[in-house]
Amino acid sequence: MYKHLVVAVDGSETSANALKHACSVAAAGKAQLTLVHVANPAEYMALAPEFLQQDSYEEAAVANGNAVLAEALEITNGAEPGITGVNTHLLLANKGAREMAQELVDYADKQGADLLVLGTHGRTGLMHLLMGSFAETVMRQSHLPLLIIRSEGGGGEDEA
């Protein structure tokens, strides 16, 4: 059985579904859970500075990331009895999806995780070409076992 699960969360419904699955696995095996959000300040550069309530893009990414982690912690607390000692961690990646995926994989390795859990929206065709797949990038970079939960709708915003 798995002893330590690292779960990527991004605030999406798909991410919440993956988190609920991870909670079931963790509860069954009495495993440790670590919830991780990879924040990218560059994603906030598309906003006009007057829309930011923080002084910098990095501050905005950190504030949003902490909110995502708090919401994920609430989901975890209500998901399965017997889950205790859930950790949260915020990572910053200043480039693109490839660096974000590598940050997640490296963190999971350093923490001694034996399962990495994330959601995917299962895009195909043109949307996959344009948007890419974070889950696919993680899969290519990780040597850890992965539990990838596909969205129920099969489309929508990008994954964790």
Side-chain angles (χ1 to χ4, degrees):
M1 235 9 179
Y2 300 108
K3 301 290 182 212
H4 184 192
L5 286 68
V6 168
V7 185
V9 295
D10 67 2
S12 70
E13 189 61 36
T14 299
S15 173
N17 289 339
L19 177 55
K20 291 172 188 172
H21 276 77
C23 288
S24 296
V25 172
K30 301 197 184 331
Q32 177 184 349
L33 269 180
T34 300
L35 313 179
V36 178
H37 178 75
V38 185
N40 186 348
E43 293 175 353
Y44 294 85
M45 291 180 185
L47 296 175
E50 59 269 13
F51 291 115
L52 288 178
Q53 295 182 9
Q54 292 79 18
D55 292 331
S56 71
Y57 299 118
E58 185 171 317
E59 192 177 313
V62 168
N64 182 62
N66 285 328
V68 167
L69 287 169
E71 181 181 313
L73 197 53
E74 284 183 32
I75 291 170
T76 303
N77 291 336
E80 293 279 337
I83 295 178
T84 59
V86 178
N87 299 313
T88 61
H89 189 75
L90 180 67
L91 295 169
L92 284 176
N94 291 311
K95 293 183 182 169
R98 186 180 192 96
E99 182 196 20
M100 293 171 72
Q102 192 63 57
E103 289 285 332
L104 176 64
V105 168
D106 290 347
Y107 178 79
D109 282 340
K110 288 176 189 167
Q111 297 305 306
D114 50 8
L115 181 66
L116 187 53
V117 182
L118 60 151
T120 184
H121 293 274
R123 288 191 183 92
T124 59
L126 184 58
M127 285 306 292
H128 178 75
L129 180 65
L130 294 174
M131 301 289 291
S133 170
F134 183 78
E136 184 177 340
T137 305
V138 169
M139 181 181 70
R140 292 178 188 275
Q141 294 178 358
S142 180
H143 69 278
L144 292 172
L146 298 174
L147 175 58
I148 299 176
I149 304 299
R150 188 173 175 164
S151 70
E152 293 177 13
E157 60 191 329
D158 208 7
E159 58 278 342

